[in-house]
Amino acid sequence: MWSRSLAGLLALSACAGGGDPTGTPVVAGATLAVSVSGLVPLDPAVDGRYEAWVVDRAGTATSLGTIDASGDASFTNPAAVVASIFITYEPRGDTDPAPSSHRLLVGRFQNGRATLSVVGALTVNDTPLREKPGQFTMFSPSDNAMHGYPSFEESGIWLFNMAPRDTPQGDMWVRLTQLQPGWVYEGWMVRDIDTPNAVWLSYGKFLPDPTGTVNTRDDTGWGEFSGVTDYLKGEEEFPGDDWISNPLGYVVPGGLTLPLNLREKTASGASRWTHVITVEPSSDRGEPVTTPRPFTVRPYRDPFGDGGPGAPRSITFHAEGVPRGEVVAR
Amino acid sequence: MRAMLSCCTAATLVTALACSSDPVSPGSVARAEAGRWATWVLPRGDALRPPAPPAEGSAQSAAEIDEIVRLQSARTAATDSVVRQYAGDPGAPWSRLAVGRLDLYWPLLPDVLVATPVRAARVMSLLHVAMYDAVVASWDAKYAYIRRAPASASGRVKALVPLDGVPSYPSEHAAAAAAAARILTYAFPLEDTASFTRQAREAAESRITAGAAYRSDIDAGWALGAAVAQRVMDRAMADGSAQAWTGAVPTGEGMWQPTPPRRVQVPFDAMAGSWRTWIIPSGSAYRPGPPPAIGSPQFKADLNELLQLASGGRTQAQIDAARYWATDAPSIRWELFAEDEIASHRLSAPHAARARAYLSAAMYDAFVACWDTKFTYWMARPVTMDASLRTVFSTPPFPSYPSGHSTQSSAAAEVMAELFPDRAAFYRAKAEEASLSRIWAGVHYRFDVTTGEALGAKVGDAVVARMRSDGAQ
């Protein structure tokens, strides 16, 4: 659908103006210098690869080849006059010659340059990722039946607005930009982020409803380190997990000791735990939480902080956590 | 005496405004008659009248003036900030604190059963009734003794807040704070209850630094507030809310069943219809007739309306309104409306306390009446009658008929219209929006809403009738 529309638009423009709407045509044989920042390394055998594609006037996508995490690559344009370029994530084992549904970055050529952005690639209707989605909240529901409230609240994280009137939407639901079908949000608590010993704990994957409202549970329920054995039946209406006990004897990641204290601080008083929301390829949905692989799109990142039960914690957008780039045709 | 008091007050007021421009005098004025307004748990405003304060010029008064002078000479930006924080209406800080605590517990339902709709309304009514009786009792004593505030009695003391010509003994700020601290401790036992008392003492004693009260004013006000709160708690502990439900959910076509996704097995507050009410005779006093029969034309039409809304018929504005009214315990939105009106109309302490008490009592009584009806008929929720129905958010875990939002909002709107006639149309429109939001959300049939509105209007009428005979008109 997208290719057909684009082709139609280009044809209309060509008829109306009698010339190439891109200014400088990007013709076959031109050199395309790609520069992308913010990519994390992928192991092709385990994770898959990044791949660049050009789209010609007919809307046909042609592969340029793979891009590594440096983000820098140079290709010879194999197609006829090129309208746009996009970068995909191709899952491990994907040998299909067509691009996957995981379009990561997209850009249209204007005067021989294309700015690559996740807007319109990851997101629907060319909408940007939301700047102020709402709040995440310290809470551990899975042990309430056993221990009451408050108990081990510092061991859980849930995605709802504890102080609704402090949010733009004014209600209890977090809002996130709707994603294209190839993508899904994933929530994390990360200990010692940005260090070699960082431990990423996923609390599950989730999608907002068609209005952008996050109002359903994630794919792991309460999570397997919750205080109950039937953790998948945790019918919370919000994404989140508890890390209280280990009733089914899973391997606890990173040598952590349960119950977790997400308010834990370093010797200098800084928060050891960071809340992160990533955007993940939907093909990973349902992967075991004990084998987390945070993807390269990490737009939301906030220290957990020391606030007690009921303290609101804002989710904030960080542009540096989102890949972006540029392509220059010569 | 009255003329002298007014003269001194005017001079002091000028001084006060020169010292600080933040605190604002009340727009409404309550004089001696406020001490005679009808009370809730006290038989009369003078029932707990404290002994006379130390005489002006006495050794004790002089010592207390010395204390204020010392405190004011040691003023810092921090102490001035505290003075300003508690300079306004004495009930506002505690009302907002309670709302904040209930806001915390609302999203924790059904895991933590503190802020269910009825229980949240109950907490606010207990708090506001206690503060109201404490303020009325303090007003009775103020005009029995007519003690001038320290800043009016002594040129050595500065007024850091407006004094408004109201006698200082006993302190209404201390009375309200003490009453609030006790009630909040009772209502939120899982919290840091010591902090409630710390904050209340800080608020009360800020009036000494402000030059508005002697320590003996604070002590007398504190004792008065604590005594009133004890009476409110005694009543609360016997109001039926501690009684556990031991019944069984009835079975049969059209009867309530646990609803998705949580399928909470025990409905919230099944006994609440029998809890003691404030104004209406009982929860069953206005009980409406049964809902339309399952399969009747009205039932089919009202269920079909929800199905049509769910299949693409909802507008974004309707969805937003549904979420807005579902974000707090239903009564909390109205409590916040009242706080805004109290501030914008600059009500005096007794008038503000009265507004809060009536609004909260009306909403609590409305909920009790609504819950009586809900658990008389045990009407199934729409999502039970048609599992294909998609709601905007999860259906609350208790029977459908009538709507709690509709009942309490209708009652609240009548009280707000009586209190703030210039805003009557606005609040009646808000009540209608609150009602309709439950249809838009898909969690109530239209007949739930219309019956709830009628029931709430009856409760509202009963409350307004009491308002018109309480001596405050």
Side-chain angles (χ1 to χ4, degrees):
Chain A
M1 177 65 79
W2 178 88
S3 297
R4 184 180 298 172
S5 301
L6 183 59
L9 178 64
L10 290 172
L12 183 66
S13 300
C15 290
D20 191 326
T22 60
T24 306
V26 179
V27 295
T31 299
L32 300 175
V34 178
S35 176
V36 178
S37 64
L39 298 179
V40 297
L42 298 179
D43 179 344
V46 177
D47 301 319
R49 64 188 187 277
Y50 304 111
E51 189 164 347
W53 307 76
V54 287
V55 182
D56 65 20
R57 281 181 157 177
T60 303
T62 305
S63 174
L64 294 174
T66 60
I67 297 177
D68 64 22
S70 74
D72 295 325
S74 182
F75 303 102
T76 300
N77 178 24
V81 178
V82 163
S84 64
I85 182 167
F86 63 89
I87 312 290
T88 59
Y89 161 71
E90 301 290 325
R92 170 177 57 94
D94 184 343
T95 56
D96 185 334
S100 74
S101 62
H102 312 298
R103 294 192 183 198
L104 175 63
L105 294 160
V106 65
R108 288 193 59 185
F109 281 103
Q110 296 283 336
N111 298 318
R113 287 177 181 269
T115 299
L116 294 170
S117 169
V118 297
V119 176
L122 294 172
T123 66
V124 301
N125 299 328
D126 289 340
T127 47
L129 292 165
R130 187 177 278 259
E131 294 270 343
K132 294 180 179 177
Q135 298 162 356
F136 60 101
T137 295
M138 186 177 89
F139 180 45
S140 65
S142 70
D143 73 323
N144 281 330
M146 220 179 316
H147 303 119
Y149 175 88
S151 60
F152 302 114
E153 303 312 313
E154 67 282 1
S155 303
I157 160 75
W158 294 83
L159 214 55
F160 61 84
N161 300 327
M162 180 50 84
R165 280 176 281 279
D166 295 347
T167 65
Q169 57 268 41
D171 61 34
M172 73 169 77
W173 291 274
V174 168
R175 302 292 201 281
L176 289 168
T177 302
Q178 276 190 274
L179 300 178
Q180 296 282 3
W183 301 97
V184 62
Y185 288 105
E186 184 163 12
W188 308 81
M189 286 306 304
V190 190
R191 192 181 195 225
D192 299 334
I193 198 168
D194 298 331
T195 73
N197 299 322
V199 180
W200 287 70
L201 290 181
S202 171
Y203 60 76
K205 293 174 179 165
F206 54 92
L207 286 168
D209 77 1
T211 69
T213 306
V214 180
N215 59 359
T216 56
R217 49 166 282 187
D218 60 76
D219 62 350
T220 68
W222 273 327
E224 50 271 77
F225 299 113
S226 67
V228 293
T229 53
D230 55 349
Y231 63 87
L232 283 172
K233 293 180 182 173
E235 297 276 7
E236 294 300 325
E237 295 170 52
F238 308 101
D241 264 8
D242 292 349
W243 290 282
I244 296 175
S245 58
N246 192 2
L248 295 178
Y250 284 90
V251 175
V252 180
L256 298 171
T257 303
L258 301 179
L260 291 187
N261 176 14
L262 299 176
R263 298 163 73 187
E264 183 183 11
K265 298 179 201 169
T266 65
S268 63
S271 180
R272 287 193 77 169
W273 289 92
T274 302
H275 176 246
V276 179
I277 298 176
T278 61
V279 179
E280 303 282 324
S282 56
S283 54
D284 283 348
R285 202 164 195 200
E287 70 179 340
V289 177
T290 47
T291 56
R293 295 177 293 159
F295 193 59
T296 196
V297 186
R298 304 173 183 181
Y300 303 106
R301 168 178 169 159
D302 298 281
F304 192 81
D306 194 34
R313 294 169 158 86
S314 292
I315 302 167
T316 51
F317 176 76
H318 293 268
E320 68 273 20
V322 180
R324 59 196 173 283
E326 187 180 53
V327 184
V328 178
R330 297 189 183 88
Chain B
M1 175 64 86
R2 180 66 59 85
M4 185 179 79
L5 195 64
S6 300
C7 171
C8 294
T9 302
T12 309
L13 183 59
V14 170
T15 309
L17 293 176
C19 292
S20 167
S21 59
D22 287 342
V24 178
S25 298
S28 65
V29 176
R31 296 296 183 200
E33 70 277 3
R36 297 189 288 275
W37 291 355
T39 44
W40 299 81
V41 296
L42 298 178
R44 297 183 339 162
D46 63 0
L48 296 173
R49 184 182 291 173
E56 197 169 306
S58 67
Q60 185 178 341
S61 286
E64 292 185 19
I65 290 284
D66 287 344
E67 179 193 19
I68 300 170
V69 171
R70 276 199 309 277
L71 288 170
Q72 292 195 334
S73 67
R75 281 169 59 194
T76 64
T79 58
D80 278 7
S81 172
V82 173
V83 165
R84 280 195 299 275
Q85 183 182 349
Y86 297 111
D89 169 63
W94 319 115
S95 191
R96 292 193 182 278
L97 195 158
V99 165
R101 301 332 292 161
L102 292 168
D103 275 352
L104 183 155
Y105 289 109
W106 176 253
L108 307 189
L109 289 169
D111 302 300
V112 183
L113 295 173
V114 172
T116 64
V118 198
R119 290 185 185 278
R122 176 176 173 270
V123 166
M124 296 307 291
S125 74
L126 295 173
L127 174 68
H128 288 159
V129 161
M131 291 200 297
Y132 170 85
D133 272 17
V135 169
V136 168
S138 73
W139 236 254
D140 162 77
K142 282 175 184 293
Y143 286 90
Y145 301 119
I146 311 186
R147 186 188 205 185
R148 291 194 297 170
S152 300
S154 170
R156 298 166 61 207
V157 175
K158 296 174 187 169
L160 305 182
V161 295
L163 300 180
D164 305 319
V166 175
S168 68
Y169 179 90
S171 163
E172 71 276 27
H173 283 76
R182 296 286 180 102
I183 298 296
L184 291 169
T185 298
Y186 165 74
F188 302 109
L190 303 176
E191 303 274 317
D192 175 11
T193 53
S195 75
F196 298 146
T197 303
R198 274 198 307 274
Q199 289 179 67
R201 285 304 305 186
E202 179 184 63
E205 298 197 2
S206 74
R207 305 294 291 176
I208 301 176
T209 307
Y214 295 91
R215 183 162 293 282
S216 49
D217 297 341
I218 300 303
D219 291 345
W222 189 269
L224 193 55
V228 169
Q230 188 58 53
R231 282 162 171 75
V232 172
M233 287 190 290
D234 289 345
R235 185 190 188 281
M237 286 186 272
D239 68 5
S241 62
Q243 191 177 353
W245 181 64
T246 56
V249 176
T251 55
E253 187 188 21
M255 303 303 276
W256 180 83
Q257 296 173 23
T259 48
R262 292 291 297 262
R263 299 190 189 282
V264 175
Q265 298 296 308
V266 180
F268 289 175
D269 302 324
M271 300 291 290
S274 63
W275 294 358
R276 186 177 175 188
T277 48
W278 289 107
I279 294 170
I280 65 173
S282 69
S284 62
Y286 308 130
R287 183 187 295 164
I294 305 299
S296 66
Q298 185 182 355
F299 179 85
K300 287 179 179 174
D302 288 1
L303 181 59
N304 192 48
E305 177 184 19
L306 304 183
L307 293 169
Q308 288 186 338
L309 280 167
S311 59
R314 293 185 186 113
T315 66
Q316 187 61 49
Q318 289 173 332
I319 293 170
D320 289 345
R323 289 192 173 120
Y324 169 85
W325 286 103
T327 280
D328 311 80
S331 57
I332 295 303
R333 290 284 176 189
W334 292 92
E335 297 286 0
L336 293 173
F337 292 153
E339 290 304 314
D340 289 345
E341 296 295 347
I342 287 167
S344 65
H345 284 78
R346 296 169 50 217
L347 296 190
S348 71
H351 285 105
R354 178 175 178 269
R356 292 190 182 98
Y358 276 118
L359 177 66
S360 299
M363 291 193 287
Y364 168 79
D365 277 12
F367 269 123
V368 172
C370 179
W371 251 244
D372 166 82
T373 310
K374 279 181 183 288
F375 287 92
T376 294
Y377 300 115
W378 286 89
M379 179 74 206
R381 288 280 182 170
V383 73
T384 301
M385 299 310 297
D386 190 324
S388 72
L389 176 65
R390 291 290 165 262
T391 58
V392 173
F393 43 76
S394 298
T395 297
F398 37 80
S400 194
Y401 175 84
S403 156
H405 274 74
S406 304
T407 310
Q408 69 104 36
S409 294
S410 180
E414 292 313 304
V415 174
M416 292 295 277
E418 179 72 6
L419 290 166
F420 309 105
D422 55 321
R423 303 275 285 158
F426 174 79
Y427 287 115
R428 288 186 175 122
K430 279 288 177 195
E432 184 179 8
E433 180 189 275
S435 258
L436 293 174
S437 76
R438 310 304 281 176
I439 296 174
W440 299 333
V443 299
H444 274 291
Y445 313 96
R446 187 169 287 274
F447 59 75
D448 292 343
V449 161
T450 52
T451 302
E453 288 170 346
L455 178 58
K458 289 179 181 172
V459 175
D461 288 347
V463 176
V464 168
R466 186 188 194 275
M467 295 171 76
R468 291 178 179 172
S469 62
D470 71 354
Q473 292 295 307

